[in-house]
Amino acid sequence: MDQAQHSGAPGIAGADADTRAQRQEYYDSKLAPNSMAPLWEVLGEVVTQQPRVTAKPFIWHWEKSRPLLMEAGKLVTAEEAERRVLVLENPAYVGQTRATNTLYGGLQLVMPGEIAPAHRHTQSALRFVLESKGGYTAVGGEKSTMMPGDFVITPSWSFHDHGNTTDAPIIWMDVLDVPMLTFFEAGFAEHHNDKTQTIARPEGDALARFGTTMLPIDGSRPYGELNSPVFNYPFARTRAALVATAAGAPADPHWAHTLRYVNPNNGGWAISTIASWMMFLPKGSSTRPMRSTDGLICAVAEGRGVAVAGDTRMEFGPRDSFVLPNWTWRRFEAKEDCFIFFSSDRGVQERMGIWREERAA
Ligand code: 1HN
């Protein structure tokens, strides 16, 4: 049975014209001048029985977005732009610089020889590499080569710069918790004194210390406990782990074969605010419908298939990015072996104790 609806207190909608006029007069002439307002007129809107979903499902096809990025590459340099990024702007949020209700998404291009200068901000970022022959991101004094399918993080307030030392463009998807920081009005940012940060450790150092099911005996934690000290999760390892997982156990009806990117400090998400995982959906298989209170920003590492969100069917191929809105039934069909990257605000929702999911039979 449905619970009683909070659609305004009983009698509010049913009041006669005289009463309504009297109340309106009271709101306008007495309450408004005193910066007060009647909750009973809005209660049903602020406390809903179910999430009121505002994001729209949307897919950005690589065939369209790559040429647009390359055009941006001719119009503006990485240095001028600071970050040459095309925002993945949800059609429901035009002008609001966000892909889901709570997350920012974008596609970033770094051309051969270019450097995206070092800076830091309290917004946390992740990169999912779509095209690269081997440029780098530097985080916290270490460089990491970015190859297609790699998952790279820049935790809150860590300096980061990107460089393309190859002869080919590098393109990745950025996801940041920008809308959440905007909501909290808690953003800070600063430029590094130099264009690139000082490199203090050899490449692979963080992965060796923190990413091999071992941890330093002295308990050192470069970013504290909240975020992962591993800042590049190479696709080669992720893919191999997923393939081995699929060989060892049947697919879950809803998650197929899914592994999440973990913070080795505490078993939590790699970035405390932004959850991320990868799903392997073997050719010809599909998942059953499920939904969760976190909206998803996704990118295809490999494969072709269909992502369904509510009534919207989105055919995807390699390097496409798409959004699956919060509390909207979603499912997948694989026409080829698919490796799909996901990110969401689940990290924050779990900390608030509000995250929910529902799985259909
Ligand atoms: C940022 O710092 C990067 O460092 C990318 O690559 C996208 C979007 C909004 C705010 C900061 C980057 C960003 C960003």
Side-chain angles (χ1 to χ4, degrees), residues 7-318:
S7 57
I12 293 295
D16 62 39
D18 265 6
T19 309
R20 286 207 308 274
Q22 237 180 334
R23 286 174 184 163
Q24 197 59 50
E25 165 67 11
Y26 162 69
Y27 304 158
D28 296 344
S29 65
K30 305 273 185 60
L31 295 185
N34 287 296
S35 297
M36 299 177 100
L39 175 62
W40 57 86
E41 293 288 350
V42 295
L43 187 55
E45 272 166 59
V46 295
V47 180
T48 56
Q49 280 197 310
Q50 297 266 325
R52 188 168 293 167
V53 177
T54 52
K56 292 201 168 93
F58 196 81
I59 183 161
W60 292 269
H61 290 288
W62 180 250
E63 290 71 19
K64 266 194 197 166
S65 45
R66 189 185 189 280
L68 290 170
L69 270 172
M70 298 313 287
E71 203 173 332
K74 293 201 184 97
L75 284 171
V76 57
T77 66
E79 200 154 357
E80 271 178 300
E82 180 148 356
R83 295 297 188 262
R84 190 201 287 111
V85 181
L86 296 182
V87 177
L88 300 176
E89 194 175 72
N90 192 295
Y93 307 132
V94 174
Q96 295 180 37
T97 323
R98 53 191 174 131
T100 68
N101 51 332
T102 55
L103 291 176
Y104 161 96
L107 297 178
Q108 181 161 175
L109 167 69
V110 185
M111 292 297 281
E114 283 185 337
I115 286 173
H119 69 194
R120 64 177 174 177
H121 36 72
T122 46
Q123 290 83 358
S124 298
L126 67 82
R127 335 271 169 206
F128 187 75
V129 184
L130 299 172
E131 175 178 325
S132 173
K133 286 186 179 169
Y136 70 86
T137 277
V139 181
E142 185 181 331
K143 273 185 183 176
S144 186
T145 304
M146 298 172 93
M147 296 305 284
D150 286 1
F151 166 69
V152 176
I153 68 168
T154 57
S156 179
W157 209 236
S158 57
F159 277 112
H160 51 282
D161 47 282
H162 319 297
N164 185 347
T165 47
T166 74
D167 60 3
I170 300 179
I171 299 171
W172 64 77
M173 180 176 79
D174 291 308
V175 174
L176 287 90
D177 52 14
V178 165
M180 294 195 245
L181 275 279
T182 304
F183 173 76
F184 287 118
E185 298 180 359
F188 295 86
E190 65 185 25
H191 289 106
H192 198 279
N193 289 332
D194 305 310
K195 202 167 155 186
T196 56
Q197 65 185 282
T198 308
I199 298 303
R201 289 182 301 280
E203 176 159 4
D205 185 90
L207 197 58
R209 282 176 209 277
F210 302 98
T212 55
T213 73
M214 303 186 87
L215 290 172
I217 194 81
D218 66 3
S220 56
R221 289 175 165 150
Y223 307 111
E225 198 178 322
L226 274 184
N227 297 296
S228 175
V230 177
F231 69 98
N232 188 345
Y233 296 69
F235 182 53
R237 287 172 53 154
T238 305
R239 193 185 190 288
L242 284 166
V243 169
T245 300
D252 179 88
H254 298 89
W255 289 102
H257 305 283
T258 294
L259 294 171
R260 60 193 186 87
Y261 297 98
V262 72
N263 173 356
N265 285 322
N266 56 15
W269 305 102
I271 302 174
S272 63
T273 53
I274 310 175
S276 52
W277 60 94
M278 185 172 274
M279 179 174 78
F280 169 34
L281 189 63
K283 179 179 177 172
S285 66
S286 57
T287 60
R288 303 221 182 109
M290 66 184 293
R291 61 181 177 174
S292 53
T293 48
D294 50 330
L296 315 181
I297 303 182
C298 320
V300 183
E302 285 180 24
R304 293 185 178 280
V306 182
V308 182
D311 298 331
T312 307
R313 273 177 75 86
M314 298 181 286
E315 301 232 1
F316 64 77

